[in-house]
Structure formats: structure tokens, C-alpha cells
mmCIF file of all heavy atoms in Angstrom:
data_model
loop_
_atom_site.group_PDB
_atom_site.id
_atom_site.type_symbol
_atom_site.label_atom_id
_atom_site.label_comp_id
_atom_site.label_asym_id
_atom_site.label_seq_id
_atom_site.Cartn_x
_atom_site.Cartn_y
_atom_site.Cartn_z
ATOM 1 N N MET U 1 153.523 103.236 111.035
ATOM 2 C CA MET U 1 153.035 102.736 109.756
ATOM 3 C C MET U 1 153.582 103.646 108.654
ATOM 4 O O MET U 1 153.458 104.866 108.716
ATOM 5 C CB MET U 1 151.502 102.740 109.759
ATOM 6 C CG MET U 1 150.908 102.074 108.538
ATOM 7 S SD MET U 1 149.107 102.096 108.479
ATOM 8 C CE MET U 1 148.647 100.921 109.689
ATOM 9 N N THR U 2 154.151 103.046 107.666
ATOM 10 C CA THR U 2 154.707 103.832 106.575
ATOM 11 C C THR U 2 153.600 104.296 105.640
ATOM 12 O O THR U 2 152.452 103.859 105.728
ATOM 13 C CB THR U 2 155.726 103.006 105.769
ATOM 14 O OG1 THR U 2 155.030 101.948 105.121
ATOM 15 C CG2 THR U 2 156.823 102.450 106.655
ATOM 16 N N ARG U 3 153.954 105.196 104.770
ATOM 17 C CA ARG U 3 152.984 105.734 103.813
ATOM 18 C C ARG U 3 152.425 104.623 102.925
ATOM 19 O O ARG U 3 151.225 104.595 102.632
ATOM 20 C CB ARG U 3 153.663 106.813 102.950
ATOM 21 C CG ARG U 3 152.813 107.369 101.863
ATOM 22 C CD ARG U 3 151.735 108.272 102.431
ATOM 23 N NE ARG U 3 150.967 108.810 101.324
ATOM 24 C CZ ARG U 3 149.651 108.925 101.327
ATOM 25 N NH1 ARG U 3 148.970 108.575 102.385
ATOM 26 N NH2 ARG U 3 149.024 109.403 100.290
ATOM 27 N N THR U 4 153.273 103.696 102.519
ATOM 28 C CA THR U 4 152.833 102.583 101.678
ATOM 29 C C THR U 4 151.810 101.728 102.416
ATOM 30 O O THR U 4 150.776 101.352 101.849
ATOM 31 C CB THR U 4 154.034 101.714 101.275
ATOM 32 O OG1 THR U 4 155.009 102.533 100.630
ATOM 33 C CG2 THR U 4 153.610 100.598 100.349
ATOM 34 N N GLU U 5 152.053 101.455 103.670
ATOM 35 C CA GLU U 5 151.112 100.662 104.455
ATOM 36 C C GLU U 5 149.781 101.385 104.634
ATOM 37 O O GLU U 5 148.721 100.763 104.629
ATOM 38 C CB GLU U 5 151.722 100.315 105.814
ATOM 39 C CG GLU U 5 152.891 99.344 105.717
ATOM 40 C CD GLU U 5 153.634 99.203 107.032
ATOM 41 O OE1 GLU U 5 153.558 100.123 107.875
ATOM 42 O OE2 GLU U 5 154.295 98.172 107.216
ATOM 43 N N GLU U 6 149.838 102.724 104.794
ATOM 44 C CA GLU U 6 148.613 103.507 104.920
ATOM 45 C C GLU U 6 147.787 103.441 103.633
ATOM 46 O O GLU U 6 146.566 103.286 103.683
ATOM 47 C CB GLU U 6 148.939 104.966 105.238
ATOM 48 C CG GLU U 6 149.468 105.184 106.625
ATOM 49 C CD GLU U 6 149.863 106.629 106.857
ATOM 50 O OE1 GLU U 6 149.487 107.511 106.048
ATOM 51 O OE2 GLU U 6 150.551 106.884 107.856
ATOM 52 N N VAL U 7 148.460 103.561 102.498
ATOM 53 C CA VAL U 7 147.770 103.502 101.211
ATOM 54 C C VAL U 7 147.127 102.130 101.025
ATOM 55 O O VAL U 7 145.970 102.025 100.594
ATOM 56 C CB VAL U 7 148.747 103.818 100.052
ATOM 57 C CG1 VAL U 7 148.114 103.518 98.701
ATOM 58 C CG2 VAL U 7 149.193 105.265 100.124
ATOM 59 N N ILE U 8 147.837 101.074 101.359
ATOM 60 C CA ILE U 8 147.295 99.715 101.230
ATOM 61 C C ILE U 8 146.101 99.539 102.166
ATOM 62 O O ILE U 8 145.073 98.978 101.778
ATOM 63 C CB ILE U 8 148.393 98.672 101.499
ATOM 64 C CG1 ILE U 8 149.434 98.705 100.372
ATOM 65 C CG2 ILE U 8 147.799 97.278 101.639
ATOM 66 C CD1 ILE U 8 150.665 97.875 100.640
ATOM 67 N N ALA U 9 146.213 100.021 103.399
ATOM 68 C CA ALA U 9 145.116 99.902 104.363
ATOM 69 C C ALA U 9 143.888 100.666 103.866
ATOM 70 O O ALA U 9 142.749 100.179 103.980
ATOM 71 C CB ALA U 9 145.554 100.415 105.726
ATOM 72 N N ASN U 10 144.101 101.868 103.313
ATOM 73 C CA ASN U 10 142.978 102.654 102.774
ATOM 74 C C ASN U 10 142.336 101.944 101.595
ATOM 75 O O ASN U 10 141.106 101.921 101.475
ATOM 76 C CB ASN U 10 143.443 104.044 102.357
ATOM 77 C CG ASN U 10 143.760 104.921 103.540
ATOM 78 O OD1 ASN U 10 143.298 104.672 104.654
ATOM 79 N ND2 ASN U 10 144.554 105.963 103.315
ATOM 80 N N ALA U 11 143.141 101.366 100.729
ATOM 81 C CA ALA U 11 142.602 100.657 99.571
ATOM 82 C C ALA U 11 141.789 99.452 100.012
ATOM 83 O O ALA U 11 140.702 99.189 99.479
ATOM 84 C CB ALA U 11 143.739 100.224 98.640
ATOM 85 N N LEU U 12 142.281 98.713 100.986
ATOM 86 C CA LEU U 12 141.545 97.561 101.497
ATOM 87 C C LEU U 12 140.230 97.990 102.158
ATOM 88 O O LEU U 12 139.208 97.309 102.039
ATOM 89 C CB LEU U 12 142.407 96.760 102.471
ATOM 90 C CG LEU U 12 143.588 96.019 101.844
ATOM 91 C CD1 LEU U 12 144.444 95.376 102.935
ATOM 92 C CD2 LEU U 12 143.114 94.981 100.851
ATOM 93 N N ALA U 13 140.243 99.130 102.828
ATOM 94 C CA ALA U 13 139.023 99.638 103.448
ATOM 95 C C ALA U 13 137.996 100.027 102.388
ATOM 96 O O ALA U 13 136.795 99.758 102.543
ATOM 97 C CB ALA U 13 139.348 100.836 104.335
ATOM 98 N N VAL U 14 138.456 100.638 101.311
ATOM 99 C CA VAL U 14 137.553 101.015 100.220
ATOM 100 C C VAL U 14 136.960 99.769 99.576
ATOM 101 O O VAL U 14 135.753 99.701 99.320
ATOM 102 C CB VAL U 14 138.291 101.886 99.173
ATOM 103 C CG1 VAL U 14 137.457 102.041 97.915
ATOM 104 C CG2 VAL U 14 138.633 103.237 99.756
ATOM 105 N N VAL U 15 137.784 98.764 99.332
ATOM 106 C CA VAL U 15 137.306 97.525 98.732
ATOM 107 C C VAL U 15 136.277 96.856 99.640
ATOM 108 O O VAL U 15 135.239 96.377 99.175
ATOM 109 C CB VAL U 15 138.493 96.571 98.438
ATOM 110 C CG1 VAL U 15 138.002 95.179 98.072
ATOM 111 C CG2 VAL U 15 139.353 97.143 97.330
ATOM 112 N N ALA U 16 136.532 96.846 100.938
ATOM 113 C CA ALA U 16 135.588 96.239 101.878
ATOM 114 C C ALA U 16 134.267 96.990 101.898
ATOM 115 O O ALA U 16 133.194 96.374 101.924
ATOM 116 C CB ALA U 16 136.200 96.202 103.272
ATOM 117 N N SER U 17 134.312 98.320 101.860
ATOM 118 C CA SER U 17 133.065 99.086 101.875
ATOM 119 C C SER U 17 132.270 98.885 100.593
ATOM 120 O O SER U 17 131.037 98.790 100.627
ATOM 121 C CB SER U 17 133.343 100.570 102.099
ATOM 122 O OG SER U 17 134.013 101.130 100.992
ATOM 123 N N ILE U 18 132.960 98.796 99.468
ATOM 124 C CA ILE U 18 132.271 98.558 98.193
ATOM 125 C C ILE U 18 131.643 97.172 98.192
ATOM 126 O O ILE U 18 130.518 96.987 97.729
ATOM 127 C CB ILE U 18 133.251 98.735 97.012
ATOM 128 C CG1 ILE U 18 133.627 100.202 96.873
ATOM 129 C CG2 ILE U 18 132.655 98.211 95.712
ATOM 130 C CD1 ILE U 18 134.737 100.467 95.881
ATOM 131 N N ARG U 19 132.339 96.181 98.717
ATOM 132 C CA ARG U 19 131.797 94.822 98.794
ATOM 133 C C ARG U 19 130.544 94.792 99.670
ATOM 134 O O ARG U 19 129.544 94.173 99.317
ATOM 135 C CB ARG U 19 132.841 93.863 99.340
ATOM 136 C CG ARG U 19 132.315 92.428 99.429
ATOM 137 C CD ARG U 19 133.346 91.464 100.014
ATOM 138 N NE ARG U 19 134.521 91.405 99.177
ATOM 139 C CZ ARG U 19 135.774 91.483 99.625
ATOM 140 N NH1 ARG U 19 136.010 91.617 100.905
ATOM 141 N NH2 ARG U 19 136.790 91.408 98.794
ATOM 142 N N GLU U 20 130.585 95.473 100.809
ATOM 143 C CA GLU U 20 129.414 95.528 101.690
ATOM 144 C C GLU U 20 128.225 96.180 100.984
ATOM 145 O O GLU U 20 127.096 95.700 101.088
ATOM 146 C CB GLU U 20 129.752 96.284 102.969
ATOM 147 C CG GLU U 20 130.665 95.539 103.909
ATOM 148 C CD GLU U 20 131.061 96.379 105.118
ATOM 149 O OE1 GLU U 20 130.431 97.436 105.353
ATOM 150 O OE2 GLU U 20 131.988 95.977 105.824
ATOM 151 N N ALA U 21 128.485 97.275 100.276
ATOM 152 C CA ALA U 21 127.407 97.963 99.555
ATOM 153 C C ALA U 21 126.834 97.067 98.468
ATOM 154 O O ALA U 21 125.608 97.010 98.268
ATOM 155 C CB ALA U 21 127.926 99.269 98.960
ATOM 156 N N ARG U 22 127.696 96.359 97.755
ATOM 157 C CA ARG U 22 127.243 95.458 96.692
ATOM 158 C C ARG U 22 126.392 94.326 97.266
ATOM 159 O O ARG U 22 125.345 93.972 96.710
ATOM 160 C CB ARG U 22 128.441 94.900 95.929
ATOM 161 C CG ARG U 22 128.063 94.071 94.715
ATOM 162 C CD ARG U 22 129.281 93.600 93.947
ATOM 163 N NE ARG U 22 130.100 92.718 94.750
ATOM 164 C CZ ARG U 22 131.397 92.897 95.006
ATOM 165 N NH1 ARG U 22 132.030 93.928 94.510
ATOM 166 N NH2 ARG U 22 132.062 92.037 95.740
ATOM 167 N N GLU U 23 126.810 93.762 98.404
ATOM 168 C CA GLU U 23 126.040 92.692 99.036
ATOM 169 C C GLU U 23 124.697 93.203 99.549
ATOM 170 O O GLU U 23 123.678 92.520 99.439
ATOM 171 C CB GLU U 23 126.853 92.069 100.165
ATOM 172 C CG GLU U 23 128.032 91.252 99.658
ATOM 173 C CD GLU U 23 128.947 90.786 100.776
ATOM 174 O OE1 GLU U 23 128.717 91.168 101.956
ATOM 175 O OE2 GLU U 23 129.900 90.043 100.477
ATOM 176 N N ARG U 24 124.666 94.425 100.107
ATOM 177 C CA ARG U 24 123.400 95.020 100.549
ATOM 178 C C ARG U 24 122.458 95.219 99.369
ATOM 179 O O ARG U 24 121.272 94.922 99.457
ATOM 180 C CB ARG U 24 123.655 96.379 101.212
ATOM 181 C CG ARG U 24 123.801 96.339 102.696
ATOM 182 C CD ARG U 24 123.685 97.730 103.297
ATOM 183 N NE ARG U 24 124.338 98.780 102.543
ATOM 184 C CZ ARG U 24 125.585 99.186 102.716
ATOM 185 N NH1 ARG U 24 126.341 98.622 103.615
ATOM 186 N NH2 ARG U 24 126.085 100.170 101.992
ATOM 187 N N ASP U 25 123.003 95.745 98.257
ATOM 188 C CA ASP U 25 122.172 95.954 97.072
ATOM 189 C C ASP U 25 121.654 94.632 96.510
ATOM 190 O O ASP U 25 120.500 94.548 96.086
ATOM 191 C CB ASP U 25 122.960 96.702 95.984
ATOM 192 C CG ASP U 25 123.211 98.150 96.349
ATOM 193 O OD1 ASP U 25 122.525 98.669 97.260
ATOM 194 O OD2 ASP U 25 124.091 98.770 95.718
ATOM 195 N N ALA U 26 122.486 93.607 96.510
ATOM 196 C CA ALA U 26 122.056 92.301 96.002
ATOM 197 C C ALA U 26 120.935 91.733 96.874
ATOM 198 O O ALA U 26 119.957 91.183 96.352
ATOM 199 C CB ALA U 26 123.241 91.338 95.955
ATOM 200 N N GLU U 27 121.048 91.899 98.177
ATOM 201 C CA GLU U 27 120.001 91.405 99.080
ATOM 202 C C GLU U 27 118.702 92.181 98.871
ATOM 203 O O GLU U 27 117.616 91.601 98.845
ATOM 204 C CB GLU U 27 120.465 91.525 100.533
ATOM 205 C CG GLU U 27 119.473 90.998 101.538
ATOM 206 C CD GLU U 27 119.207 89.515 101.395
ATOM 207 O OE1 GLU U 27 120.113 88.780 100.971
ATOM 208 O OE2 GLU U 27 118.082 89.092 101.698
ATOM 209 N N ARG U 28 118.819 93.497 98.699
ATOM 210 C CA ARG U 28 117.633 94.313 98.474
ATOM 211 C C ARG U 28 116.953 93.931 97.162
ATOM 212 O O ARG U 28 115.733 93.793 97.107
ATOM 213 C CB ARG U 28 118.005 95.795 98.441
ATOM 214 C CG ARG U 28 116.798 96.727 98.308
ATOM 215 C CD ARG U 28 117.223 98.160 98.124
ATOM 216 N NE ARG U 28 117.995 98.352 96.911
ATOM 217 C CZ ARG U 28 117.470 98.495 95.707
ATOM 218 N NH1 ARG U 28 116.181 98.424 95.529
ATOM 219 N NH2 ARG U 28 118.250 98.686 94.652
ATOM 220 N N ARG U 29 117.744 93.721 96.103
ATOM 221 C CA ARG U 29 117.171 93.308 94.818
ATOM 222 C C ARG U 29 116.484 91.954 94.942
ATOM 223 O O ARG U 29 115.420 91.742 94.376
ATOM 224 C CB ARG U 29 118.257 93.234 93.745
ATOM 225 C CG ARG U 29 118.597 94.560 93.131
ATOM 226 C CD ARG U 29 119.434 94.391 91.873
ATOM 227 N NE ARG U 29 120.656 93.648 92.098
ATOM 228 C CZ ARG U 29 121.793 94.158 92.531
ATOM 229 N NH1 ARG U 29 121.887 95.427 92.797
ATOM 230 N NH2 ARG U 29 122.850 93.396 92.701
ATOM 231 N N LYS U 30 117.086 91.046 95.699
ATOM 232 C CA LYS U 30 116.491 89.727 95.873
ATOM 233 C C LYS U 30 115.148 89.834 96.586
ATOM 234 O O LYS U 30 114.194 89.149 96.229
ATOM 235 C CB LYS U 30 117.448 88.824 96.661
ATOM 236 C CG LYS U 30 117.018 87.376 96.708
ATOM 237 C CD LYS U 30 118.123 86.469 97.185
ATOM 238 C CE LYS U 30 118.306 86.569 98.666
ATOM 239 N NZ LYS U 30 119.246 85.568 99.206
ATOM 240 N N GLN U 31 115.063 90.718 97.584
ATOM 241 C CA GLN U 31 113.803 90.890 98.297
ATOM 242 C C GLN U 31 112.749 91.563 97.420
ATOM 243 O O GLN U 31 111.589 91.161 97.415
ATOM 244 C CB GLN U 31 114.021 91.715 99.557
ATOM 245 C CG GLN U 31 114.781 90.978 100.630
ATOM 246 C CD GLN U 31 115.050 91.860 101.834
ATOM 247 O OE1 GLN U 31 114.788 93.054 101.815
ATOM 248 N NE2 GLN U 31 115.593 91.259 102.874
ATOM 249 N N VAL U 32 113.142 92.591 96.673
ATOM 250 C CA VAL U 32 112.180 93.331 95.861
ATOM 251 C C VAL U 32 111.725 92.511 94.671
ATOM 252 O O VAL U 32 110.526 92.355 94.423
ATOM 253 C CB VAL U 32 112.784 94.670 95.387
ATOM 254 C CG1 VAL U 32 111.899 95.329 94.349
ATOM 255 C CG2 VAL U 32 112.995 95.604 96.571
ATOM 256 N N PHE U 33 112.663 91.980 93.913
ATOM 257 C CA PHE U 33 112.315 91.287 92.677
ATOM 258 C C PHE U 33 111.928 89.841 92.905
ATOM 259 O O PHE U 33 111.386 89.200 92.023
ATOM 260 C CB PHE U 33 113.466 91.378 91.674
ATOM 261 C CG PHE U 33 113.713 92.781 91.201
ATOM 262 C CD1 PHE U 33 114.891 93.428 91.513
ATOM 263 C CD2 PHE U 33 112.758 93.453 90.467
ATOM 264 C CE1 PHE U 33 115.119 94.726 91.088
ATOM 265 C CE2 PHE U 33 112.971 94.750 90.041
ATOM 266 C CZ PHE U 33 114.158 95.382 90.358
ATOM 267 N N GLY U 34 112.177 89.313 94.086
ATOM 268 C CA GLY U 34 111.774 87.952 94.385
ATOM 269 C C GLY U 34 110.268 87.813 94.491
ATOM 270 O O GLY U 34 109.717 86.730 94.332
ATOM 271 N N LYS U 35 109.582 88.929 94.748
ATOM 272 C CA LYS U 35 108.131 88.911 94.889
ATOM 273 C C LYS U 35 107.422 88.984 93.542
ATOM 274 O O LYS U 35 106.234 88.717 93.460
ATOM 275 C CB LYS U 35 107.684 90.094 95.749
ATOM 276 C CG LYS U 35 108.222 90.040 97.158
ATOM 277 C CD LYS U 35 107.837 91.266 97.927
ATOM 278 C CE LYS U 35 108.479 91.264 99.307
ATOM 279 N NZ LYS U 35 108.190 92.502 100.023
ATOM 280 N N ILE U 36 108.131 89.366 92.510
ATOM 281 C CA ILE U 36 107.525 89.542 91.189
ATOM 282 C C ILE U 36 107.565 88.211 90.443
ATOM 283 O O ILE U 36 108.610 87.572 90.347
ATOM 284 C CB ILE U 36 108.287 90.614 90.383
ATOM 285 C CG1 ILE U 36 108.239 91.943 91.118
ATOM 286 C CG2 ILE U 36 107.717 90.735 88.981
ATOM 287 C CD1 ILE U 36 109.102 93.017 90.497
ATOM 288 N N GLU U 37 106.423 87.816 89.929
ATOM 289 C CA GLU U 37 106.374 86.584 89.142
ATOM 290 C C GLU U 37 106.834 86.899 87.725
ATOM 291 O O GLU U 37 106.200 87.670 87.013
ATOM 292 C CB GLU U 37 104.948 86.033 89.081
ATOM 293 C CG GLU U 37 104.549 85.241 90.289
ATOM 294 C CD GLU U 37 103.215 84.561 90.091
ATOM 295 O OE1 GLU U 37 102.969 84.037 88.991
ATOM 296 O OE2 GLU U 37 102.430 84.586 91.023
ATOM 297 N N ILE U 38 107.907 86.303 87.345
ATOM 298 C CA ILE U 38 108.440 86.517 86.001
ATOM 299 C C ILE U 38 108.372 85.200 85.245
ATOM 300 O O ILE U 38 108.726 84.159 85.758
ATOM 301 C CB ILE U 38 109.904 87.006 86.053
ATOM 302 C CG1 ILE U 38 109.962 88.336 86.775
ATOM 303 C CG2 ILE U 38 110.500 87.116 84.668
ATOM 304 C CD1 ILE U 38 111.356 88.865 86.979
ATOM 305 N N GLY U 39 107.892 85.273 84.028
ATOM 306 C CA GLY U 39 107.890 84.094 83.183
ATOM 307 C C GLY U 39 106.845 83.068 83.552
ATOM 308 O O GLY U 39 107.123 81.869 83.498
ATOM 309 N N ARG U 40 105.672 83.533 83.957
ATOM 310 C CA ARG U 40 104.611 82.562 84.221
ATOM 311 C C ARG U 40 104.305 81.818 82.942
ATOM 312 O O ARG U 40 104.326 82.383 81.853
ATOM 313 C CB ARG U 40 103.331 83.257 84.689
ATOM 314 C CG ARG U 40 103.390 83.727 86.104
ATOM 315 C CD ARG U 40 102.044 84.193 86.551
ATOM 316 N NE ARG U 40 101.532 85.208 85.646
ATOM 317 C CZ ARG U 40 100.268 85.573 85.564
ATOM 318 N NH1 ARG U 40 99.371 85.033 86.328
ATOM 319 N NH2 ARG U 40 99.891 86.495 84.713
ATOM 320 N N GLN U 41 104.005 80.558 83.058
ATOM 321 C CA GLN U 41 103.688 79.772 81.880
ATOM 322 C C GLN U 41 102.294 80.135 81.403
ATOM 323 O O GLN U 41 101.366 80.289 82.197
ATOM 324 C CB GLN U 41 103.748 78.286 82.191
ATOM 325 C CG GLN U 41 105.147 77.795 82.457
ATOM 326 C CD GLN U 41 105.158 76.299 82.676
ATOM 327 O OE1 GLN U 41 104.125 75.658 82.748
ATOM 328 N NE2 GLN U 41 106.348 75.752 82.783
ATOM 329 N N LEU U 42 102.176 80.295 80.109
ATOM 330 C CA LEU U 42 100.890 80.590 79.517
ATOM 331 C C LEU U 42 100.083 79.307 79.400
ATOM 332 O O LEU U 42 100.648 78.223 79.222
ATOM 333 C CB LEU U 42 101.081 81.216 78.130
ATOM 334 C CG LEU U 42 101.825 82.552 78.118
ATOM 335 C CD1 LEU U 42 102.069 82.991 76.685
ATOM 336 C CD2 LEU U 42 101.044 83.605 78.868
ATOM 337 N N PRO U 43 98.769 79.428 79.504
ATOM 338 C CA PRO U 43 97.962 78.215 79.356
ATOM 339 C C PRO U 43 98.105 77.653 77.953
ATOM 340 O O PRO U 43 98.140 78.402 76.972
ATOM 341 C CB PRO U 43 96.540 78.698 79.625
ATOM 342 C CG PRO U 43 96.575 80.169 79.436
ATOM 343 C CD PRO U 43 97.964 80.608 79.736
ATOM 344 N N LYS U 44 98.187 76.350 77.856
ATOM 345 C CA LYS U 44 98.364 75.707 76.560
ATOM 346 C C LYS U 44 97.011 75.245 76.040
ATOM 347 O O LYS U 44 96.221 74.655 76.774
ATOM 348 C CB LYS U 44 99.312 74.528 76.672
ATOM 349 C CG LYS U 44 100.709 74.955 77.062
ATOM 350 C CD LYS U 44 101.669 73.812 77.081
ATOM 351 C CE LYS U 44 103.050 74.332 77.466
ATOM 352 N NZ LYS U 44 104.051 73.318 77.431
ATOM 353 N N ILE U 45 96.769 75.546 74.784
ATOM 354 C CA ILE U 45 95.529 75.138 74.135
ATOM 355 C C ILE U 45 95.899 74.046 73.138
ATOM 356 O O ILE U 45 96.604 74.291 72.166
ATOM 357 C CB ILE U 45 94.865 76.322 73.411
ATOM 358 C CG1 ILE U 45 94.571 77.431 74.416
ATOM 359 C CG2 ILE U 45 93.613 75.878 72.690
ATOM 360 C CD1 ILE U 45 94.065 78.704 73.795
ATOM 361 N N LYS U 46 95.431 72.851 73.412
ATOM 362 C CA LYS U 46 95.772 71.731 72.542
ATOM 363 C C LYS U 46 94.530 71.286 71.783
ATOM 364 O O LYS U 46 93.449 71.145 72.351
ATOM 365 C CB LYS U 46 96.305 70.555 73.361
ATOM 366 C CG LYS U 46 97.617 70.845 74.032
ATOM 367 C CD LYS U 46 98.134 69.634 74.771
ATOM 368 C CE LYS U 46 99.462 69.953 75.430
ATOM 369 N NZ LYS U 46 100.003 68.815 76.139
ATOM 370 N N GLY U 47 94.693 71.066 70.511
ATOM 371 C CA GLY U 47 93.622 70.502 69.706
ATOM 372 C C GLY U 47 92.444 71.424 69.471
ATOM 373 O O GLY U 47 91.359 70.962 69.167
ATOM 374 N N ARG U 48 92.620 72.711 69.609
ATOM 375 C CA ARG U 48 91.522 73.640 69.377
ATOM 376 C C ARG U 48 91.949 74.657 68.342
ATOM 377 O O ARG U 48 93.059 75.176 68.380
ATOM 378 C CB ARG U 48 91.131 74.372 70.652
ATOM 379 C CG ARG U 48 90.508 73.447 71.682
ATOM 380 C CD ARG U 48 90.025 74.217 72.853
ATOM 381 N NE ARG U 48 88.776 74.904 72.519
ATOM 382 C CZ ARG U 48 88.140 75.713 73.340
ATOM 383 N NH1 ARG U 48 88.636 75.952 74.529
ATOM 384 N NH2 ARG U 48 87.011 76.285 72.995
ATOM 385 N N GLN U 49 91.054 74.965 67.458
ATOM 386 C CA GLN U 49 91.281 75.999 66.446
ATOM 387 C C GLN U 49 90.760 77.311 67.029
ATOM 388 O O GLN U 49 89.613 77.385 67.452
ATOM 389 C CB GLN U 49 90.562 75.660 65.148
ATOM 390 C CG GLN U 49 90.696 76.716 64.070
ATOM 391 C CD GLN U 49 92.119 76.787 63.529
ATOM 392 O OE1 GLN U 49 92.784 75.769 63.413
ATOM 393 N NE2 GLN U 49 92.552 77.974 63.207
ATOM 394 N N LEU U 50 91.589 78.308 67.057
ATOM 395 C CA LEU U 50 91.133 79.609 67.541
ATOM 396 C C LEU U 50 90.419 80.335 66.427
ATOM 397 O O LEU U 50 90.864 80.355 65.282
ATOM 398 C CB LEU U 50 92.332 80.433 68.001
ATOM 399 C CG LEU U 50 93.125 79.864 69.173
ATOM 400 C CD1 LEU U 50 94.302 80.791 69.493
ATOM 401 C CD2 LEU U 50 92.248 79.715 70.391
ATOM 402 N N SER U 51 89.291 80.940 66.758
ATOM 403 C CA SER U 51 88.557 81.705 65.752
ATOM 404 C C SER U 51 88.996 83.165 65.841
ATOM 405 O O SER U 51 88.868 83.802 66.878
ATOM 406 C CB SER U 51 87.054 81.582 66.001
ATOM 407 O OG SER U 51 86.738 82.102 67.264
ATOM 408 N N LEU U 52 89.522 83.646 64.733
ATOM 409 C CA LEU U 52 89.976 85.031 64.665
ATOM 410 C C LEU U 52 89.173 85.766 63.614
ATOM 411 O O LEU U 52 89.130 85.362 62.457
ATOM 412 C CB LEU U 52 91.448 85.090 64.320
ATOM 413 C CG LEU U 52 92.414 84.401 65.298
ATOM 414 C CD1 LEU U 52 93.829 84.448 64.741
ATOM 415 C CD2 LEU U 52 92.351 85.045 66.653
ATOM 416 N N ASP U 53 88.504 86.827 64.019
ATOM 417 C CA ASP U 53 87.740 87.631 63.072
ATOM 418 C C ASP U 53 88.695 88.650 62.459
ATOM 419 O O ASP U 53 89.100 89.616 63.110
ATOM 420 C CB ASP U 53 86.592 88.335 63.796
ATOM 421 C CG ASP U 53 85.687 89.081 62.840
ATOM 422 O OD1 ASP U 53 85.755 88.813 61.624
ATOM 423 O OD2 ASP U 53 84.924 89.933 63.321
ATOM 424 N N LEU U 54 89.061 88.434 61.204
ATOM 425 C CA LEU U 54 90.050 89.295 60.550
ATOM 426 C C LEU U 54 89.390 90.350 59.661
ATOM 427 O O LEU U 54 90.075 91.029 58.904
ATOM 428 C CB LEU U 54 91.011 88.441 59.705
ATOM 429 C CG LEU U 54 91.801 87.407 60.509
ATOM 430 C CD1 LEU U 54 92.641 86.569 59.576
ATOM 431 C CD2 LEU U 54 92.683 88.087 61.563
ATOM 432 N N HIS U 55 88.094 90.530 59.746
ATOM 433 C CA HIS U 55 87.415 91.538 58.919
ATOM 434 C C HIS U 55 87.193 92.815 59.655
ATOM 435 O O HIS U 55 87.013 92.961 60.746
ATOM 436 C CB HIS U 55 86.070 91.002 58.412
ATOM 437 C CG HIS U 55 86.254 89.823 57.511
ATOM 438 N ND1 HIS U 55 86.752 89.904 56.260
ATOM 439 C CD2 HIS U 55 86.011 88.503 57.715
ATOM 440 C CE1 HIS U 55 86.788 88.723 55.713
ATOM 441 N NE2 HIS U 55 86.347 87.837 56.595
#
């Protein structure tokens, strides 16, 4: 294997390891943040005047 082929093989190995790490992190984030309720809808109040004591 020539030096050029070794460099290409090393670069491909680095890219593969980074891709694996990125996929692991994405899966971990999906598991952790998938349990958190984000953006729950607030209850809607229709036809009611809210009383606010501003004094």
C-alpha cells in the first residue's frame, strides 16, 4: 500500500468513526429529549373575561 493509499484509508476511518459517534449522539438525544413534553397546548378560554386585580 502506498503512502497515498494509507492516508486515504486513515481519512476514511476517521470519517466513519465520526459518523458513528454522531449517530450514537443523535440516538441518545432522541431517547433523552423524546421523554420531555415540549409545546403542550395551553387550555383555551373562550367567551370568558378574566378578572385581573391591578391595584
Side-chain angles (χ1 to χ4, degrees):
M1 187 182 287
T2 66
R3 176 72 178 138
T4 304
E5 292 170 337
E6 289 176 14
V7 170
I8 292 171
N10 288 339
L12 291 174
V14 168
V15 169
S17 68
I18 291 171
R19 180 182 298 133
E20 288 175 13
R22 186 177 63 235
E23 290 172 356
R24 266 195 320 269
D25 289 343
E27 182 63 31
R28 184 186 62 82
R29 278 193 303 275
K30 189 166 76 172
Q31 289 177 353
V32 170
F33 294 114
K35 297 176 185 176
I36 300 173
E37 278 188 41
I38 298 176
R40 284 189 305 162
Q41 291 183 353
L42 298 174
K44 296 184 179 184
I45 301 173
K46 294 183 180 181
R48 292 185 76 183
Q49 177 69 36
L50 297 179
S51 61
L52 300 175
D53 185 16
L54 300 176
H55 296 288

